[in-house]
Amino acid sequence: MSFRAYYLDEKKELQLNLSIADVHAALASRTGLLWVDFCETTEEDGRILEDVFGFHRLAVEDCVETEIHPPKIDVYDSHIFALFHGINHVTESDLVETAELALFIGSTFVVSNHNYPLYSVEEVRYQVETDSRLMQRGPAFLAHTLIDALVDNIRPTIDRMSDIAALVEEAALGEPRQSTLEAILRLKRSVRRIHRTIVPERELLNRISRGEYGIIETESRVYFRDVYDHLVRIEDLNLNVRDSADNALSIYLTAIANRQNETMKVLAIAGAIFLPLTLLAGIYGMNFDNMPELHWQWGYFAVLLVMGTVVLSALAAFWRRGWFRLGRRKARVLHSFAVERALLRGHRESKD
Amino acid sequence: MSFRAYYLDEKKELQLNLSIADVHAALASRTGLLWVDFCETTEEDGRILEDVFGFHRLAVEDCVETEIHPPKIDVYDSHIFALFHGINHVTESDLVETAELALFIGSTFVVSNHNYPLYSVEEVRYQVETDSRLMQRGPAFLAHTLIDALVDNIRPTIDRMSDIAALVEEAALGEPRQSTLEAILRLKRSVRRIHRTIVPERELLNRISRGEYGIIETESRVYFRDVYDHLVRIEDLNLNVRDSADNALSIYLTAIANRQNETMKVLAIAGAIFLPLTLLAGIYGMNFDNMPELHWQWGYFAVLLVMGTVVLSALAAFWRRGWFRLGRRKARVLHSFAVERALLRGHRESKD
Amino acid sequence: MSFRAYYLDEKKELQLNLSIADVHAALASRTGLLWVDFCETTEEDGRILEDVFGFHRLAVEDCVETEIHPPKIDVYDSHIFALFHGINHVTESDLVETAELALFIGSTFVVSNHNYPLYSVEEVRYQVETDSRLMQRGPAFLAHTLIDALVDNIRPTIDRMSDIAALVEEAALGEPRQSTLEAILRLKRSVRRIHRTIVPERELLNRISRGEYGIIETESRVYFRDVYDHLVRIEDLNLNVRDSADNALSIYLTAIANRQNETMKVLAIAGAIFLPLTLLAGIYGMNFDNMPELHWQWGYFAVLLVMGTVVLSALAAFWRRGWFRLGRRKARVLHSFAVERALLRGHRESKD
Amino acid sequence: MSFRAYYLDEKKELQLNLSIADVHAALASRTGLLWVDFCETTEEDGRILEDVFGFHRLAVEDCVETEIHPPKIDVYDSHIFALFHGINHVTESDLVETAELALFIGSTFVVSNHNYPLYSVEEVRYQVETDSRLMQRGPAFLAHTLIDALVDNIRPTIDRMSDIAALVEEAALGEPRQSTLEAILRLKRSVRRIHRTIVPERELLNRISRGEYGIIETESRVYFRDVYDHLVRIEDLNLNVRDSADNALSIYLTAIANRQNETMKVLAIAGAIFLPLTLLAGIYGMNFDNMPELHWQWGYFAVLLVMGTVVLSALAAFWRRGWFRLGRRKARVLHSFAVERALLRGHRESKD
Amino acid sequence: MSFRAYYLDEKKELQLNLSIADVHAALASRTGLLWVDFCETTEEDGRILEDVFGFHRLAVEDCVETEIHPPKIDVYDSHIFALFHGINHVTESDLVETAELALFIGSTFVVSNHNYPLYSVEEVRYQVETDSRLMQRGPAFLAHTLIDALVDNIRPTIDRMSDIAALVEEAALGEPRQSTLEAILRLKRSVRRIHRTIVPERELLNRISRGEYGIIETESRVYFRDVYDHLVRIEDLNLNVRDSADNALSIYLTAIANRQNETMKVLAIAGAIFLPLTLLAGIYGMNFDNMPELHWQWGYFAVLLVMGTVVLSALAAFWRRGWFRLGRRKARVLHSFAVERALLRGHRESKD
């Protein structure tokens, strides 16, 4: 059996590692607070949930299936069944992955369930084992602690995404590479997925903190409100990442257009300088009998001089039009206000 | 007559293949549970629905017409009329096709109606025929089973779309082809159609599970809530497909721009190398009398040397600017985190 | 006077072509059902509406003015005033045109008003003249029949737009033409206009069918619900047209980019092949005294051989890179699943 | 003092040009209807509003400040304070400008306030001076008349924008000019600003007409409903302008891409024709000893013939591919249905 | 201890710079109005808030943490806890930065808290110190003054952003530079951040002014309504900035396309003029024995004449097609109505 059970009995003493029989007894006493945590839940565990605890078949199925379910709160007669999502860790195939935590919250018990070990649950387990006061504050507070740990665990992922967003934004300023585009798109997808995870969850927490579910006592609601605030903050950071990714995409796309222009400039400069000169050389390569210039003493050198002059003045003209300027962009310009300052200064001066 | 009828009489015995007279009798008894399933409904069937069952003309018209109607629930005095949509199968002209299931739910009967054979209804029929307990749980549960089968049948289509989305995303990384664009657009259209099918349906199920329709008993509502959760999950997968299709489109469009740049590079390299050299050859092809170089012993070889040097150093310059790098993209880069890892590593080092 | 009046008196007999005095008498009797239909309403008609029927000045102004008003329902003491829109026909300046129908619905009368002859009203008039039972079902049912005919008349326009959308989508696959773009944009504009016509109307019908307006009897509400369903269906088809138009636009824009690439390829191929060869010819056109190759017996033919080899191998290289492939696109590829099938097949094989 | 006051006393006689003392007396009588219109309101006027009328400091500040405030209705004990916006006139820096009208509506008075002369207020003033019946219908009706005149005054601006939109759409079909883009963007900005002006205002009028503000009598509400309808209509026209501007932008952007393609075609044609021929000329310009063709009698003319043939057949090939076709677009194609008609005709024929 | 306390005792006398003991006494008296302002709040201050004032741990944590929290109002038994955001100042890494102000509002006290000195709080402190009447109006009014000062302080930032937006829009009309793009994107990001700051805040103020929080007396609500109006106004200006930034982006992107076209024109002109002429020179450089033109007296000069004619007529043709026109754009065209005026004039004339 893949569960761990904690029981704070009516004498406020904490019992660890209960057997299934102990759980039975604790549940039957209808006092104290029992916490059972199921991990990698099997069909057999499902039967325990159904038979020992008397949970509804559909709720138990949600626990046994490894598939992700939408966040929700179902109200039953003696307990509520809550499903919450966290963002667990960064995988190879995508930046973020959804972690699911199911909670049954009754007046004397909390049953938690997850399909693989969750860092946030481990954290709460450690807290409970070292300090039984956490469980003395009742099932709603324990449930809040589990949800809060789950939600707080989203923060490091978001922070790492913020780092990546800043770096990708900078990379987009350089030479456009396919891999930069892919990093941008992956970031945008992660943002959207986190958004879709957080929004329904936030709504659920809002409803808990407004007191829609009777089993949560009034004094605990403010704690759920606090989790709600954390989610609002995380969503705000998430939208900042989206802004960065959108900016990076805009910069990337104009960088592609700029690169194309640079390619074309190389050709245009070559064409505009050498095509006329080749014609000149071609003219004096003609075989007409009567071409007086060919017999001039310094004709050849005059032509060379004309050619040199043309090349130099053409280069000068292109230089003046700024065709050579591109590519010498300074790094990190995105983070300086040179432009705005220059604009504002020019503006003020023009007023004087 | 194109219907099949099942009747669970007051002795909990299941009768199969009822005639129209049996249906009449079963209906009049006002006990047990009668299920009549109409397929490829004709005008004649319509008259049965209107005369035998006493359904409203408008509801019957919705059954007889082959056109798709919006999902809805109409409440009548003795029964409710519900219309639900599934996604039936993939056709040649589009990825998805809507399947319509109409249900009349009364206190002793369920009448289902569809314009062509539905896999999901067959499934339920098979269940009923092998195990009469399904019908013992009342009309609301039977109706729920039918709707659930319909909704679950969307899943394989979505899964196949997810497969296609992943493949199309990869195809977009390669040479841009018109057919890739079309596959992307077809995918996006399918996503939108599924979205439009699911959203109103989800709303209906939400209202059923909140108890807005009196005829559905309280204990059955949780099952409709479960179907609701399935739809939320399907919509989530659907939005993932949309994300993939959007990404594929972004990659495809930049791939077009990149290809254009590659075409231009070929020309720019050719122009930038050969135009100056052609001028050089042209110069020594001029017919001036006084061109001392022409008479030098090693003039010709010196020119060849200069030309070779120019070609090699130009190629080196282009190489250094990365003009030859493109096109040697590795496959499946989308699914590796090389970029982010490199970025983060560089970032950490720069802090040291 | 530009009106036609029908009166079903208390003996259930239908009187046609009432004079203004008859209308007066029918109205005063406060029994039966009077239907007066005004077309090309003048100021004089307006005075009749105001004086004989006692309608509010503002409602009458809405009838007399030829301008389009937003759909609405105004509730007065003894009647309601409803304004509905249809899509009348295709004109030269735009694909769709709004048709307005105003209705006053009292307990013994229906007054309809429109600024030019409406096909849908003619239809209802024909029905009334041939079968008086329509009017026996009361004013709400008559009003419903008029609105239903108006709404059903949108269907042919949408169907024609669907046809155009399919053709335009196909045209976008061919050579990009300005006229294709214009057809796409016109289609999108029509879709938006129909959307803006339908949405407020749907909301009004929803409110009627929920029983917000007392004058509509409960048994008639289901008919308004049916009109509501028709509008939902029409809006769904409308969104399908929008999807097609959006797809066509995406294809069109990439087709422009592809065409640009094709133009550039022509130039790049010409440049990459002939610029080096021209240099070669230029080299042997130089006039150096000491150019041993010039005096070789087969020098000229060796150069020709080199040139031919270069041309052929360059063409082969471009061929291998697929530069000649474009333009031989097969028609109607949009409607085949070759891509997806190929992708899925390759996917399955790679798993083996 | 920059106000004008009108007083309809209890004998229904209209007094014009009241002094501040008269206003005092009229206000104290608590009968009849007093209308005071402030224009270019100064701090001194503000003190009158505060001391004589007893309005709240914050409302008075909104009147005195020249800044634009959001539309709103504030309810005080004895009166309501309403702020409405119109679109005043076209200025140099932008197409539209917001005009603000503040109204205090009590049971025996209306006080209007605006920071510069409004055409709509002048209109109402003229009406009042020529016909005192307007004021006999009470303060709510007078206020409605002022708001209605303000709203109706948006219409000419929208109509002018519609004209500009149609012209800009046509201009976008021609040669793409920077100024066309700017006109499109200015139009879009004006549309957005009008949208932002109208939407909150519409909501306010909706709430007045639903009877949320007690001071407006029931019989006046229908008039506010009428102003609401005008705003709905104006917003609809506004969205039509937006559609035109969006279309014009799409056309403009593809026109830029087309122009680029035309530029490239000029080069591609020149390159594809002359580069091979130059090679041919170069070949026969080589100085090999053994080049038999050089000594053929008609060699030179054969080469000229080959060159002429190549030029002509290349031109023919480009012609067949339609490279010369662009640029001969007919004007006003946007408003003809040639495309759709041709498409539909071809479609029907292909069915036969 | 980093706080400053003010106490208006029951004799309406203001005491400044209270010690912690004074605060204790003032609080215990339950009369007068006590204002304590915490800045750079430490853990120790947190303990004062918790122990002396008896605030909830979670609220105190929100004060002590330096992180930004979402704006909110939490209602406790004896006080409300409000969190509001301002936009503090422009930093190097971004245009705008969020400033957080926490407020505890009780019946006899206001406690404000912020993590670094706020200009707006300093302002209110100065007002209180110079004129005690501000505190005589009660805690709600004092809180309103603090929030109002915070919100008003957003205005200068928005005004500066408006200036930058106008300048950036102008810069986008010139040569496209990377820095212009970055300024546009930074502006858009700032707009979005301000939007996200203002919207929830506006909602909170709306709820205060509607009287949802009992502790705010009715007569103070109108002042919160006034702050709400300020926020609506600021959001409106913010959206104007967004419009400018969007316009600038559109102009910037078309400017990139235009620049590319200009580059290509240089090449196309060079190619179209010199490639044919080079062929001509090449032809007369061929070494055929029988080339009669070579021996004509004026052959060479005729060729030169032909070449000159071709160059001049080609230049004339390009000139007529407007290829040289671009680049001579006049500054500030965005702000003139030349286009619309010209269009309207042409329109009117074409009607005559």
Side-chain angles (χ1 to χ4, degrees), chain A residues 31-291:
Chain A
T31 56
L33 177 56
L34 172 73
W35 175 29
V36 190
D37 179 57
F38 286 87
C39 183
E40 288 162 14
T41 318
T42 60
E43 279 291 341
E44 196 188 350
D45 296 324
R47 271 189 297 279
I48 296 177
L49 289 170
E50 219 173 329
D51 300 340
V52 178
F53 293 90
F55 296 149
H56 195 285
R57 247 192 79 82
L58 285 172
V60 172
E61 271 174 21
D62 286 351
C63 293
V64 175
E65 287 165 22
T66 54
E67 186 158 87
I68 296 294
H69 307 80
K72 65 170 171 180
I73 295 185
D74 287 344
V75 180
Y76 293 96
D77 287 345
S78 66
H79 63 276
I80 65 175
F81 173 60
L83 256 172
F84 278 90
H85 288 173
I87 298 298
N88 205 34
H89 56 75
V90 179
T91 67
E92 279 300 298
S93 67
D94 213 335
L95 276 169
V96 298
E97 204 194 57
T98 307
E100 188 178 282
L101 177 69
L103 291 174
F104 296 86
I105 311 166
S107 53
T108 61
F109 63 86
V110 169
V111 175
S112 56
N113 177 81
H114 39 100
N115 280 308
Y116 51 89
L118 293 182
Y119 178 72
S120 59
V121 171
E122 291 308 303
E123 233 176 5
V124 176
R125 227 143 84 168
Y126 179 77
Q127 274 179 268
V128 164
E129 285 171 10
T130 53
D131 182 358
S132 71
R133 274 180 306 178
L134 181 63
M135 286 187 70
Q136 290 174 19
R137 302 178 73 169
F141 192 82
L142 176 59
H144 147 263
T145 310
L146 283 161
I147 297 168
D148 197 25
L150 187 76
V151 162
D152 277 356
N153 210 25
I154 304 178
R155 218 21 219 286
T157 304
I158 293 271
D159 287 342
R160 208 180 150 197
M161 280 170 64
S162 294
D163 287 355
I164 293 176
L167 296 165
V168 153
E169 218 171 346
E170 222 160 280
L173 281 169
E175 184 71 9
R177 283 173 214 282
Q178 184 77 9
S179 61
T180 308
L181 174 62
E182 286 162 20
I184 294 169
L185 295 177
R186 200 153 46 215
L187 213 50
K188 280 170 77 84
R189 182 187 291 201
S190 299
V191 165
R192 279 195 297 261
R193 190 172 304 177
I194 290 178
H195 179 77
R196 288 209 295 271
T197 301
I198 288 176
V199 167
E201 206 147 300
R202 207 174 55 185
E203 192 40 37
L204 281 185
L205 284 164
N206 191 21
R207 282 158 66 190
I208 295 180
S209 68
R210 280 203 316 253
E212 280 192 23
Y213 304 103
I215 218 151
I216 311 290
E217 321 90 62
T218 315
E219 58 266 39
S220 294
R221 279 176 205 155
V222 69
Y223 291 98
F224 285 96
R225 172 78 200 178
D226 194 50
V227 184
Y228 172 85
D229 287 348
H230 290 184
L231 275 180
V232 171
R233 177 69 189 144
I234 285 171
E235 174 65 5
D236 195 52
L237 293 171
N238 195 30
L239 293 180
N240 284 344
V241 174
R242 192 192 59 187
D243 285 0
S244 293
D246 284 345
N247 277 3
L249 191 58
S250 289
I251 295 172
Y252 181 83
L253 293 175
T254 56
I256 284 186
N258 282 330
R259 192 185 49 183
Q260 204 151 332
N261 197 37
E262 273 190 82
T263 309
M264 223 132 60
K265 270 183 194 168
V266 168
L267 183 63
I269 291 174
I273 293 179
F274 293 109
L275 284 179
L277 299 184
T278 302
L279 174 63
L280 194 64
I283 287 172
Y284 292 109
M286 293 193 294
N287 299 320
F288 284 99
D289 292 349
N290 181 15
M291 290 176 71

Side-chain angles (χ1 to χ4, degrees), chain E residues 136-312:
Chain E
Q136 291 174 18
R137 303 179 73 168
F141 193 84
L142 177 60
H144 146 264
T145 311
L146 283 161
I147 296 168
D148 198 25
L150 187 74
V151 162
D152 277 356
N153 210 25
I154 304 177
R155 218 19 219 286
T157 305
I158 293 271
D159 287 344
R160 208 180 151 197
M161 281 170 63
S162 294
D163 286 357
I164 293 175
L167 296 165
V168 154
E169 218 172 347
E170 222 160 280
L173 281 169
E175 184 70 10
R177 284 174 213 281
Q178 184 77 10
S179 61
T180 306
L181 175 62
E182 287 162 21
I184 293 169
L185 295 177
R186 200 154 44 217
L187 213 50
K188 281 170 78 84
R189 181 187 292 201
S190 299
V191 165
R192 280 195 296 261
R193 191 175 301 181
I194 290 178
H195 180 77
R196 288 209 294 272
T197 301
I198 288 176
V199 167
E201 206 147 301
R202 207 174 55 185
E203 192 41 38
L204 281 185
L205 285 163
N206 191 21
R207 281 157 68 190
I208 294 180
S209 69
R210 281 204 315 254
E212 281 193 22
Y213 304 103
I215 218 151
I216 310 291
E217 321 91 63
T218 315
E219 58 266 37
S220 294
R221 280 177 205 154
V222 68
Y223 290 99
F224 286 95
R225 171 78 200 175
D226 194 51
V227 184
Y228 171 85
D229 287 348
H230 290 184
L231 274 179
V232 171
R233 176 71 189 143
I234 284 170
E235 174 66 5
D236 196 52
L237 293 170
N238 196 29
L239 293 180
N240 284 345
V241 174
R242 192 192 59 187
D243 284 359
S244 293
D246 284 345
N247 278 2
L249 191 58
S250 289
I251 295 172
Y252 181 82
L253 293 175
T254 56
I256 284 186
N258 282 331
R259 192 185 49 183
Q260 204 151 332
N261 196 37
E262 273 190 80
T263 309
M264 222 131 61
K265 271 182 192 168
V266 168
L267 183 63
I269 292 174
I273 293 179
F274 292 108
L275 284 179
L277 300 184
T278 302
L279 174 63
L280 194 63
I283 286 171
Y284 292 109
M286 292 193 294
N287 299 321
F288 284 99
D289 292 350
N290 181 16
M291 291 176 70
E293 300 95 317
L294 294 182
H295 311 298
W296 294 352
Q297 173 76 2
W298 303 110
Y300 171 58
F301 302 99
V303 164
L304 286 190
L305 195 72
V306 166
M307 285 180 171
T309 312
V310 166
V311 168
L312 289 178

Side-chain angles (χ1 to χ4, degrees), chain D residues 56-58 61-62 65 67-74 76 90-95 160 163-164 167-168 171 175-189 192-193 196 249 252-253 256 259-264 266-267 270-271 273-275 277-282 284-288 291 293-301 303-304 307 311 332, chain E residues 144 155 169 172-173 219 222-226 228-230 232-233 235-237 239-240 242-248 250-251 254-255 257-258 260-261 264-273 275-279 281-293 318 321-323 325-326 329 332-341 343-344 346-348 350-351:
Chain D
H56 196 283
R57 246 194 80 82
L58 285 173
E61 271 174 20
D62 286 350
E65 287 165 22
E67 186 158 87
I68 295 295
H69 306 80
K72 65 171 171 181
I73 295 185
D74 287 344
Y76 293 96
V90 179
T91 67
E92 278 301 298
S93 68
D94 213 336
L95 275 169
R160 208 180 150 196
D163 286 357
I164 292 175
L167 296 164
V168 154
E175 184 71 8
R177 284 173 213 283
Q178 184 77 9
S179 61
T180 307
L181 174 63
E182 287 162 20
I184 293 169
L185 294 177
R186 200 151 46 215
L187 213 48
K188 280 169 78 84
R189 181 187 292 202
R192 279 195 298 262
R193 192 176 298 181
R196 288 209 296 271
L249 192 57
Y252 181 83
L253 293 175
I256 284 186
R259 192 185 48 184
Q260 205 150 331
N261 197 36
E262 274 190 81
T263 309
M264 223 133 57
V266 167
L267 184 62
I273 294 180
F274 293 108
L275 284 179
L277 300 184
T278 302
L279 173 63
L280 194 64
Y284 292 110
M286 293 194 293
N287 299 320
F288 284 99
M291 290 176 72
E293 300 97 316
L294 295 182
H295 311 298
W296 294 353
Q297 174 76 2
W298 303 109
Y300 170 57
F301 301 100
V303 164
L304 287 190
M307 285 179 172
V311 168
R332 296 211 171 238
Chain E
H144 146 264
R155 218 19 219 286
E169 218 172 347
L173 281 169
E219 58 266 37
V222 68
Y223 290 99
F224 286 95
R225 171 78 200 175
D226 194 51
Y228 171 85
D229 287 348
H230 290 184
V232 171
R233 176 71 189 143
E235 174 66 5
D236 196 52
L237 293 170
L239 293 180
N240 284 345
R242 192 192 59 187
D243 284 359
S244 293
D246 284 345
N247 278 2
S250 289
I251 295 172
T254 56
N258 282 331
Q260 204 151 332
N261 196 37
M264 222 131 61
K265 271 182 192 168
V266 168
L267 183 63
I269 292 174
I273 293 179
L275 284 179
L277 300 184
T278 302
L279 174 63
I283 286 171
Y284 292 109
M286 292 193 294
N287 299 321
F288 284 99
D289 292 350
N290 181 16
M291 291 176 70
E293 300 95 317
F318 286 124
R321 295 183 74 172
W323 284 38
R325 222 168 294 159
L326 220 98
R329 222 176 312 130
R332 295 207 172 242
V333 277
L334 192 68
H335 296 298
S336 89
F337 273 74
V339 202
E340 281 88 355
R341 267 196 298 263
L343 285 171
L344 286 171
H347 188 56
R348 256 179 259 122
S350 75
K351 276 187 180 164

